[in-house]
Amino acid sequence: MDSINKTFVKEFILLGLSGYPTLEIVFFSLILVMYLVILIGNGLLIIASIFDSHLHTPMYFFLGNLSFLDICYTSSSVPSTLVSLISKKRNISFSGCAVQMFLGFAMGSTECFLLGMMAFDRYVAICNPLRYPVIMNKMVYVLMASVSWLSGGINSIVQTSLAMRLPFCGNNIINHFLCEILAVLKLACTDISLNIVTLAVSNMAFLVLPLLVIFFSYMFILYTILRMNSATGRRKAFSTCSAHLTVVIIFYGTIFFMYAKPKSQDHLENDNLQATEGLISMFYGVVTPMLNPIIYSLRNKDVKAAVKYVLNWKAVKQ
């Protein structure tokens, strides 16, 4: 038995951009503006999908879930990031870190499944339009969304529990804005093989599997569109898919860019790499949720009309 006396950490220190005070001010302003855009944009989409009867369809039901998820995801991390940037308060308690990790992992896992469900919905709508109301009835699409949320929550419980049960001793500095799971695992003073294996399984289930669903759905969609005789029909089919496909490319592109490169936690002395890590983290955590409502609003006439209706209704009420 190891007789060495170990001091176990009770809190972590999030470095963020501590070495760049000027950048911290810039980042604070940018993140604050983008967070407000996220709340307003996604909030309008949720309200529109609820009150506009034209949007009571599976696609807009999933879109409303995606907007709610983006609000929850950013609200679990952005406020604390803003506080650390403006007040220099960089410490986070052990339990606070666990909660932040759980919420971030749960929202990310759920979004992967939701994007896969939305691709399947588009596949049925375009490739089997006559059977669409039967296949994608209310019970089915509500169940699909519920499975996405439940599975994402269970996955996050497993990953967070396995990570936070580890002994952390000595170094408690996380070179990140958030309690990101890979950054936290680097600080454990014990074997993390089980964590790595479960993360690999999780990635297969929540990243690769939905991506395969999206890929094959769009292969069938493309095949169906190319067989259409009407140019108007082809344009309409493409327009209904373009917004979702754009969101998928941004979401998965950012994830693969983040995790396909060496992590900055291995090079704490490298200031340039630390700044790059912070920039990528901000893009993934704030820019993507901000772009979602903008993309769907710009590329979808129904959403545009519904949002205008909501804004006009509010103006009349005032």
Side-chain angles (χ1 to χ4, degrees):
M1 181 177 292
D2 188 6
S3 59
I4 299 176
N5 183 27
K6 296 178 179 178
T7 304
F8 293 93
V9 301
K10 296 181 180 179
E11 66 177 15
F12 295 100
I13 298 173
L14 301 170
L15 281 186
L17 290 173
S18 57
Y20 297 83
T22 304
L23 272 181
E24 284 185 324
I25 298 172
V26 174
F27 267 49
F28 175 82
S29 303
L30 284 175
I31 293 175
L32 178 60
V33 170
M34 288 188 288
Y35 182 53
L36 293 176
V37 172
I38 289 168
L39 295 179
I40 295 170
N42 286 288
L44 284 174
L45 274 181
I46 293 171
I47 294 171
S49 65
I50 292 173
F51 290 103
D52 191 329
S53 58
H54 295 94
L55 302 186
H56 291 175
T57 64
M59 182 175 77
Y60 297 113
F61 175 77
F62 288 126
L63 181 56
N65 274 262
L66 189 63
S67 295
F68 179 70
L69 183 147
D70 284 338
I71 290 176
C72 292
Y73 177 73
T74 52
S75 296
S76 70
S77 57
V78 170
S80 61
T81 300
L82 291 173
V83 170
S84 68
L85 287 172
I86 198 66
S87 69
K88 314 304 179 186
K89 182 180 180 295
R90 308 189 187 281
N91 60 306
I92 183 171
S93 66
F94 189 87
S95 58
C97 184
V99 170
Q100 193 175 81
M101 187 186 298
F102 166 76
L103 292 174
F105 216 94
M107 298 301 107
S109 302
T110 302
E111 182 159 1
C112 289
F113 264 29
L114 278 177
L115 291 175
M117 301 291 187
M118 293 172 76
F120 177 76
D121 171 72
R122 292 298 83 207
Y123 157 73
V124 178
I126 294 174
C127 299
N128 296 281
L130 298 179
R131 299 180 60 197
Y132 180 71
V134 177
I135 297 174
M136 294 299 295
N137 60 69
K138 187 173 183 178
M139 185 179 72
V140 170
Y141 66 74
V142 169
L143 180 63
M144 290 168 68
S146 300
V147 168
S148 298
W149 284 95
L150 183 62
S151 58
I154 292 173
N155 180 49
S156 185
I157 289 173
V158 172
Q159 299 301 334
T160 304
S161 300
L162 288 175
M164 303 313 284
R165 71 172 180 80
L166 296 171
F168 299 95
C169 41
N171 185 17
N172 68 334
I173 299 175
I174 300 175
N175 191 19
H176 210 282
F177 282 105
L178 313 169
C179 281
E180 193 255 354
I181 190 167
L182 292 180
V184 173
L185 289 178
K186 292 286 185 180
L187 305 181
C189 50
T190 188
D191 182 58
I192 59 172
S193 299
L194 177 60
N195 301 79
I196 299 301
V197 171
T198 55
L199 276 174
V201 173
S202 173
N203 288 340
M204 288 295 294
F206 288 88
L207 286 175
V208 179
L209 184 59
L211 191 58
L212 287 175
V213 172
I214 294 168
F215 175 78
F216 284 110
S217 294
Y218 277 103
M219 286 297 100
F220 284 116
I221 288 171
L222 182 61
Y223 176 73
T224 302
I225 291 175
L226 293 177
R227 292 181 62 192
M228 292 179 178
N229 296 322
S230 169
T232 304
R234 286 196 294 269
R235 281 196 299 269
K236 185 177 180 181
F238 272 123
S239 67
T240 60
C241 298
S242 59
H244 174 257
L245 196 55
T246 304
V247 169
V248 167
I249 291 172
I250 294 173
F251 179 76
Y252 275 97
T254 309
I255 288 178
F256 286 130
F257 183 74
M258 282 180 66
Y259 292 103
K261 67 181 185 60
K263 301 303 291 181
S264 63
Q265 288 81 4
D266 295 328
H267 308 276
L268 290 175
E269 76 281 1
N270 193 325
D271 292 339
N272 292 328
L273 197 55
Q274 176 184 332
T276 302
E277 187 75 14
L279 184 63
I280 296 170
S281 173
M282 184 194 72
F283 184 87
Y284 173 67
V286 183
V287 177
T288 304
M290 182 190 71
L291 289 178
N292 287 350
I294 296 174
I295 292 169
Y296 277 102
S297 297
L298 290 177
R299 305 186 70 88
N300 192 298
K301 293 180 180 179
D302 292 333
V303 174
K304 276 185 187 178
V307 170
K308 286 181 181 178
Y309 171 79
V310 170
L311 292 175
N312 290 335
W313 180 79
K314 285 185 175 181
V316 171
K317 292 288 285 186
Q318 290 175 352

